[in-house]
Amino acid sequence: MGFSKNFVWGAATSSIQIEGASREDGKGENIWDVFCREPDKIFDGQNAEIACDHYHHYREDVKMMKEMGLQAYRFSIDWSRVLPEGRGSVNEKGIQFYNNLIDALLENGIEPYVTLYHWELPYELYKCGGWMNPQIVEWFGEYAKLVAERFSDRVSHFFTLNEPQCFVGQGFVTGNHAPGVKAPLRDTFEMAHNAMKAHGRAVQMLRQYGKQPLTIGYAPTCGMFCPDTDKPEDIEAARQAMFAMREDDSNWAWNVAWWSDPVILGHYPEEGLIRYEKYLPKITDEDLKLMSEPIDVYGQNIYNGCRVRMGEDGKPKYIERYAGSPRTAAGWPVTPECLLWGPRFLYERYQKPIYITENGISCTDVISADGKVHDSNRIDFLTGYLKALKEATQTADIRGYFQWSLMDNFEWSLGYTERFGLVYVDYRTQERIWKDSAYWYRDIIQSNGDTL
Ligand code: BGC
């Protein structure tokens, strides 16, 4: 039992979380640039104007990736850096930055995996209605075309949307992420619908303008569900819970099926259609055809899950976590089994090769007296999760794993409080310090996971 010879070991980041240079070289504003200036939205009034200053440090960051043995690097393009108004005129300096990054990666033998949208909606498009405006399908398509034209001679792996659950759910349902709006439910379903159509349109454009055969995927997320015992009925309970809609409307976007059934199976889940009928936009066959434009791989960002058993009423029953059970610094539960059951259930339903496009943990990392960063919690976490993933490869076609994150970075509304990196960033000096986990991950990659 083990990872296949071609298994891809990587790490992931996103543009605004690391790049900085938010007003440099003609970059336009995106909704996060603007949101960070609002009072009381980001921890301690922090912002992403400098972040890890990767825009200026990308060469040394790529060198670090190479030393770590990364085979692949997943990063996102800031739409507003290449198209400052979201459409129309191209910012050549922005294109140049990504060209330089891609070239540096390739020179160092690291395969670039590009995400088109990791929540960086150009502000100019937001002003025109953003995800609410059905024209966004074409705006996003045009942006994908530009990306294909400029980068696909060297990049062959693309993901369209990162976690639509979050950019619609947290951006417009709970409102704790940019643009910080609590929109009517009706609007949020419209945005979700437009986002999935935009995904489909981007797939078409990437294929049409790609300069080589491309591998195209989608990168949603969700909490996973795991059976509390190996009994068939508990496994069935976990499977049902995994693809069910949530009880709570104020959290409706946090589910798997609404976002993946249309994209992969070509239809919305029946349960949601009935339950949310009064909030839904008009859904046509043509829309569904566009959303389900065939993709090659299915990405999933997986962080944790919860346990269930089959209840006496034939419905999944949630198992409470015990007092004092392990948690990350951010308070998220530590549940390694989610990397076994999550991919298993997802593969069973969608039958697409899977990439774990993100997985990781925030810890309260500090520089110790010896000048090093000893993050044994992260090593424990990753050991457990990767062992589970190794087991999952027995029954699911899993192509790769991207650790979140290469380095500490701007954790959205939590600012710089949460450290998710394999590499510690001292934000005062921009010094990068390898944590113990970075050395550990390098060894795991070297052994293709055999030492787990
Ligand atoms: C997002 C990342 C984020 C990470 C940790 C994911 O939801 O894609 O941008 O930093 O989780 O919260």
Side-chain angles (χ1 to χ4, degrees), residues 17 118-119 162-163 166 301 303 332 358 404 411-412 420:
Q17 292 183 271
H118 199 125
W119 314 351
N162 181 75
E163 302 189 349
C166 294
N301 297 351
Y303 286 89
W332 298 1
E358 284 180 30
W404 184 273
E411 179 54 22
W412 308 109
F420 272 90

Side-chain angles (χ1 to χ4, degrees), residues 34-288:
V34 174
F35 189 62
C36 288
R37 296 201 293 268
E38 289 292 295
D40 305 326
K41 296 296 183 194
I42 313 288
F43 176 82
D44 236 0
Q46 294 166 354
N47 60 54
E49 287 178 17
I50 300 176
C52 308
D53 202 22
H54 172 72
Y55 191 78
H56 299 111
H57 290 256
Y58 74 91
R59 280 189 195 285
E60 69 181 86
D61 291 339
V62 171
K63 197 163 156 261
M64 192 166 79
M65 295 178 215
K66 161 128 176 146
E67 282 163 13
M68 214 182 282
L70 297 188
Q71 300 159 349
Y73 173 53
R74 172 176 177 245
F75 64 95
S76 71
I77 292 178
D78 184 335
W79 184 349
S80 69
R81 196 181 286 289
V82 294
L83 288 166
E85 309 210 327
R87 56 190 160 154
S89 64
V90 175
N91 177 28
E92 292 299 335
K93 287 194 170 159
I95 297 277
Q96 190 59 48
F97 167 68
Y98 294 111
N99 269 332
N100 293 345
L101 173 62
I102 291 164
D103 290 343
L105 289 166
L106 294 173
E107 280 159 24
N108 285 283
I110 300 162
E111 192 69 35
Y113 281 63
V114 168
T115 303
L116 294 187
Y117 187 78
H118 199 125
W119 314 351
E120 314 91 346
L121 182 68
Y123 197 69
E124 289 303 312
L125 296 186
Y126 173 65
K127 278 163 47 185
C128 302
W131 293 108
M132 266 302 274
N133 187 336
Q135 288 185 55
I136 197 156
V137 176
E138 283 312 312
W139 299 335
F140 194 59
E142 285 298 313
Y143 163 52
K145 175 179 174 213
L146 175 72
V147 168
E149 284 173 341
R150 300 303 189 92
F151 306 124
S152 72
D153 54 334
R154 288 152 296 147
V155 178
S156 63
H157 297 270
F158 290 93
F159 291 101
T160 56
L161 304 177
N162 181 75
E163 302 189 349
Q165 284 90 344
C166 294
F167 72 75
V168 172
Q170 291 180 267
F172 297 93
V173 182
T174 58
N176 63 319
H177 275 190
V181 173
K182 284 195 181 173
L185 282 185
R186 168 68 180 76
D187 293 6
T188 61
F189 280 98
E190 175 100 35
M191 291 185 219
H193 192 68
N194 290 337
M196 286 187 273
K197 284 170 67 181
H199 151 85
R201 186 70 182 127
V203 176
Q204 291 178 340
M205 290 300 226
L206 287 170
R207 291 238 195 269
Q208 188 177 343
Y209 294 94
K211 301 196 171 171
Q212 56 177 318
L214 304 180
T215 304
I216 305 176
Y218 176 52
T221 187
C222 199
M224 303 286 107
F225 287 86
C226 309
D228 195 41
T229 77
D230 282 343
K231 288 191 201 145
E233 60 269 32
D234 292 338
I235 295 176
E236 180 49 27
R239 184 182 286 113
Q240 281 179 22
M242 177 92 175
F243 299 103
M245 302 298 290
R246 294 298 154 103
E247 300 279 306
D248 173 10
D249 284 355
S250 67
N251 195 20
W252 81 260
W254 193 243
N255 71 82
V256 173
W258 194 261
W259 302 96
S260 289
D261 283 13
V263 166
I264 304 182
L265 307 178
H267 55 76
Y268 276 108
E270 198 61 33
E271 186 198 358
L273 287 177
I274 296 169
R275 178 137 165 220
Y276 292 114
E277 196 189 351
K278 60 179 184 247
Y279 302 120
L280 298 181
K282 189 160 174 274
I283 300 169
T284 67
D285 288 347
E286 223 174 283
D287 295 342
L288 291 166

